[in-house]
Amino acid sequence: MKTTRLEQGPLGKLNSTLDTGWVRLLDRISPQGGARRMLILLIIAFALFSVLNPAVFLSTTNLQNIALAAPEIGVISLAMMLAMLTGGIDLSLVSIANLSAITMSTLFTTLAAGDPGQAEQMAPLIVLAGLAVGLAGGLVNGLLVSGLGITPILATLGTMQIYNGIAVAWTGGKTLSGSPSALTNLGLSTVGGIPILFGLFAVVAIAFGVLISRTPLGLRIQLLGANPTAARYSGIANRRILLSTYVLTGLLGGIAGILFIARNPTASADYGSSYVLLVIVIAVLGGTNPKGGFASVFGVVLATLTLQIVSSGFTAMRLSAYEYAIAQGLILLAVMTYDEVRRRWTKPVRWRPARRASS
């Protein structure tokens, strides 16, 4: 079969590059994989601890605690997933969430010192201020990554230190206490025995699931992660997409800060210090490709619940936090090993663009 000069020239190479980018993206779109795997692990973990210590693990209080602790970790995991979807990472998420919570607590206590009633009425603006801090933190990350071209892991490692330093200087290393009663009541409220915070987590997850899979921005983020070169030749403004992505992760960090202070009306610079590694583990377990291009929101939600169940189960069995950390690593290595073995022994059927017959 002969090829034309057009197919051998620059346009032909460009077309080949675009085809390769779309092939890689299509190959990675298998949303059932990560979610199915985590659903199986969730069922196994729940059944195991239900048998080992049913009196404690299956108690209403324990199940509610699982549902109450999952949202803040889950929201940060979704933010990490979004950053990893572009082939990057955001190590500053927990620091952004803490800075957001500290901002809200400081504003409330300052206003309450003069007029407690007015401070309660200002609750919506206080929450907006927390979200604004999250957006600002994400914007700085986005400008460093997209504007200056700094590697995401180094950019967000630097901003993590800066945001954490600001929080320590702001609080003097102390824990702040105080938040609007509306947030505190929200953290204590349940509907049908299910914490409202868990419902909010579900709403956020659904919204970002739709964003990633059903909007032009989400599809561009996926293509950018799958093949940045093909994305650029497709007319996608890579820098703008990266900036938008990190602004969104900052927004999720701000939402996590609201969940922090709603669950416990205190704020400090070192809250959730162990979350950084945990949310990376959750994102990967949930089916996020660390190299970018594919992620499963449902898988991340299931991974969040699975690790919360394991954590709660270890507490019910009176096992230490160190043993839980070991369990996290073992679960991650087992899943990654399974994926690698399956990849090597399974030959995927790849879509290939049809060639035009030359005259």
Side-chain angles (χ1 to χ4, degrees), residues 2-350:
K2 298 180 179 180
T3 58
T4 65
R5 291 183 179 180
L6 180 62
E7 289 173 331
Q8 294 175 340
L11 291 179
K13 293 180 180 179
L14 174 59
N15 183 62
S16 176
T17 302
L18 296 178
D19 284 340
T20 302
W22 285 112
V23 166
R24 292 182 61 189
L25 180 58
L26 291 171
D27 285 343
R28 291 175 180 177
I29 297 178
S30 55
Q32 297 85 5
R36 187 188 304 115
R37 177 182 63 199
M38 290 315 306
L39 181 60
I40 293 171
L41 289 177
L42 186 150
I43 293 172
I44 292 173
F46 191 89
L48 176 64
F49 292 114
S50 297
V51 171
L52 292 176
N53 195 342
V56 175
F57 184 77
L58 293 179
S59 65
T60 301
T61 300
N62 186 62
L63 295 178
Q64 285 183 340
N65 285 337
I66 292 174
L68 192 60
E72 60 188 45
I73 297 174
V75 168
I76 300 177
S77 299
L78 289 174
M80 184 63 72
M81 176 208 74
L82 193 59
M84 293 175 74
L85 189 57
T86 64
I89 198 169
D90 191 343
L91 301 178
S92 68
L93 288 167
V94 177
S95 298
I96 289 176
N98 282 331
L99 199 56
S100 173
I102 288 169
T103 299
M104 289 183 286
S105 183
T106 301
L107 286 175
F108 176 77
T109 53
T110 301
L111 292 172
D115 187 345
Q118 183 184 20
E120 294 292 348
Q121 293 176 356
M122 296 289 286
L125 292 179
I126 291 174
V127 170
L128 288 177
L131 292 176
V133 169
L135 286 171
L139 178 62
V140 171
N141 289 338
L143 290 174
L144 291 174
V145 173
S146 65
L148 298 180
I150 301 176
T151 304
I153 190 171
L154 296 179
T156 57
L157 179 62
T159 55
M160 177 185 73
Q161 296 291 83
I162 292 172
Y163 299 154
N164 189 60
I166 293 173
V168 172
W170 188 332
T171 63
K174 300 178 181 178
T175 299
L176 303 182
S177 180
S179 70
S181 59
L183 284 179
T184 304
N185 293 335
L186 185 68
L188 297 174
S189 300
T190 61
V191 176
I194 301 175
I196 289 181
L197 292 185
F198 187 81
L200 293 177
F201 171 44
V203 170
V204 172
I206 292 171
F208 272 81
V210 171
L211 172 70
I212 291 171
S213 61
R214 295 288 185 269
T215 66
L217 175 61
L219 295 176
R220 288 168 182 166
I221 290 174
Q222 291 184 63
L223 181 56
L224 174 62
N227 193 322
T229 302
R232 185 171 64 253
Y233 285 135
S234 297
I236 294 175
N238 288 9
R239 290 186 177 182
R240 186 179 302 172
I241 297 301
L242 275 176
L243 179 62
S244 300
T245 299
Y246 282 94
V247 168
L248 286 172
T249 63
L251 174 62
L252 286 171
I255 293 173
I258 295 172
L259 296 176
F260 282 2
I261 206 168
R263 184 181 171 213
N264 186 7
T266 60
S268 65
D270 61 350
Y271 181 77
S273 57
S274 63
Y275 284 179
V276 177
L277 293 178
L278 177 60
V279 298
I280 294 174
V281 170
I282 289 174
V284 175
L285 286 178
T288 306
N289 187 341
K291 297 179 181 179
F294 174 72
S296 169
V297 171
F298 189 44
V300 169
V301 172
L302 291 176
T304 300
L305 293 176
T306 300
L307 289 188
Q308 279 302 120
I309 287 172
V310 173
S311 174
S312 180
F314 272 46
T315 301
M317 299 299 298
R318 297 186 177 182
L319 299 175
S320 69
Y322 302 106
E323 290 167 311
Y324 172 56
I326 293 172
Q328 287 180 26
L330 289 175
I331 292 172
L332 178 61
L333 289 177
V335 170
M336 294 299 99
T337 301
Y338 168 77
D339 283 350
E340 184 63 20
V341 171
R342 187 182 63 174
R343 185 188 67 82
R344 291 186 179 185
W345 287 91
T346 303
K347 295 182 179 180
V349 178
R350 291 175 174 265

